[in-house]
Amino acid sequence: MGRGGSLSSDHCLTFSVLMLNVTVGLLGLTLFCLSVWMRFEGEVRTWISELGMYQYWTGLYILMAASIIIVLISICGCGGTLTANPALLGASALLILIAVILELAGGIYIVVHGTENSQLTPWLHDKFNRLIIDSNYNDKALGILQTVQEKVGCCGALSYQDYDRNRLPISDFCRDKISGNVFQDGCVKRFSIFIEKRSGWLSGIALFIAFLQIILVGLTFWHWKRVREVDADDYPRNGYYDPVPTKTR
């Protein structure tokens, strides 16, 4: 009965590790697709390129690399689980730890550089102030500012008063097309929220995968230990010596 219970426990452990690897692999593929979409999505790409906010891409690149590693590790983990190969299981567990570090790094980097009230806020404040000043004589700066204000629904860096402080007329793109009222929110706040809605999904998925992988590391090491124990028990029966004595004349 003890042996049967042990076999049942081993089968349950194998199934758990296999399913968790498949789940993590699918989530890793989802994370990769979302990161690529964010990197090449037309509106976001245009604005980030125009504003020169290239530090945002760094977090996406880290997540892309992490997601590729996640998928490869999941394939390795599934193979090691199905074949009960201790070498593949051990390598999979160690590589998962590396992937977790990359996921945390990418997720935290995006949160720090792509959410409201983060390091993005003062950077955007300086950027939009400069655009307001330059818009008086620079057509490119004027075009960027008008596009952002119209699409996001904002006015100035912190508010419409930024135009007054720089002794410039309030842009027509600062007004709601229906009511004609000036947008009350500044572009720093509205643009940060616009980016945060997208980066929040990526960070959330990355952190959730990291949480699942921490569990997966524990289960994989446990499975690796059980495989080693079974191999050690079966060692005398694998042809290394003959338990039946040879007949002598």
Side-chain angles (χ1 to χ4, degrees), residues 10-247:
D10 287 345
H11 287 316
C12 181
L13 178 60
T14 300
F15 180 78
S16 299
V17 173
L18 182 63
M19 288 298 99
L20 201 51
N21 268 299
V22 172
T23 302
V24 169
L26 292 175
L27 287 174
L29 186 61
T30 302
L31 180 63
F32 178 77
C33 293
L34 285 175
S35 298
V36 171
W37 174 77
M38 276 291 294
R39 175 59 182 85
F40 296 103
E41 196 265 325
E43 195 172 33
V44 176
R45 181 184 62 183
T46 300
W47 289 356
I48 287 179
S49 297
E50 294 290 351
L51 291 172
M53 203 173 75
Y54 298 112
Q55 67 270 31
Y56 187 75
W57 298 142
T58 303
L60 292 180
Y61 292 144
I62 295 174
L63 289 181
M64 286 181 196
S67 58
I68 292 173
I69 294 174
I70 290 168
V71 174
L72 294 176
I73 290 173
S74 297
I75 295 173
C76 178
C78 288
T81 303
L82 292 173
T83 60
N85 188 312
L88 281 177
L89 288 171
S92 174
L94 292 175
L95 290 173
I96 287 173
L97 293 176
I98 298 175
V100 168
I101 294 173
L102 284 174
E103 291 153 26
L104 292 176
I108 292 172
Y109 193 94
I110 284 182
V111 169
V112 171
H113 293 87
T115 57
E116 188 182 5
N117 298 322
S118 66
Q119 291 184 14
L120 177 67
T121 301
W123 187 90
L124 284 175
H125 182 261
D126 293 339
K127 186 67 178 181
F128 278 112
N129 268 330
R130 175 49 55 188
L131 287 173
I132 291 172
I133 295 171
D134 292 349
S135 66
N136 193 36
Y137 56 86
N138 188 313
D139 291 339
K140 182 178 180 181
L142 178 63
I144 296 171
L145 192 60
Q146 289 178 342
T147 301
V148 173
Q149 289 178 149
E150 183 182 28
K151 294 291 184 180
V152 178
C154 61
C155 187
L158 297 180
S159 70
Y160 66 90
Q161 294 178 349
D162 290 319
Y163 281 95
D164 295 335
R165 279 191 287 269
N166 288 286
R167 298 180 180 180
L168 293 172
I170 297 176
S171 171
D172 292 336
F173 292 90
C174 278
R175 300 181 183 277
D176 186 278
K177 290 183 177 180
I178 298 177
S179 66
N181 296 327
V182 175
F183 295 123
Q184 296 300 307
D185 289 332
C187 291
V188 172
K189 178 180 179 180
R190 297 300 301 174
F191 191 77
S192 297
I193 293 174
F194 172 81
I195 292 295
E196 184 176 7
K197 289 178 180 178
R198 289 156 172 76
S199 58
W201 278 100
L202 293 175
S203 300
I205 294 174
L207 295 177
F208 181 65
I209 293 175
F211 170 73
L212 290 180
Q213 286 185 311
I214 291 173
I215 299 175
L216 182 58
V217 167
L219 290 177
T220 301
F221 270 122
W222 184 13
H223 189 38
W224 173 81
K225 184 174 179 294
R226 287 294 304 146
V227 170
R228 292 290 299 271
E229 289 174 354
V230 171
D231 285 348
D233 291 341
D234 291 343
Y235 180 85
R237 296 188 292 275
N238 285 339
Y240 292 98
Y241 71 90
D242 186 358
V244 181
T246 349
K247 292 184 180 179

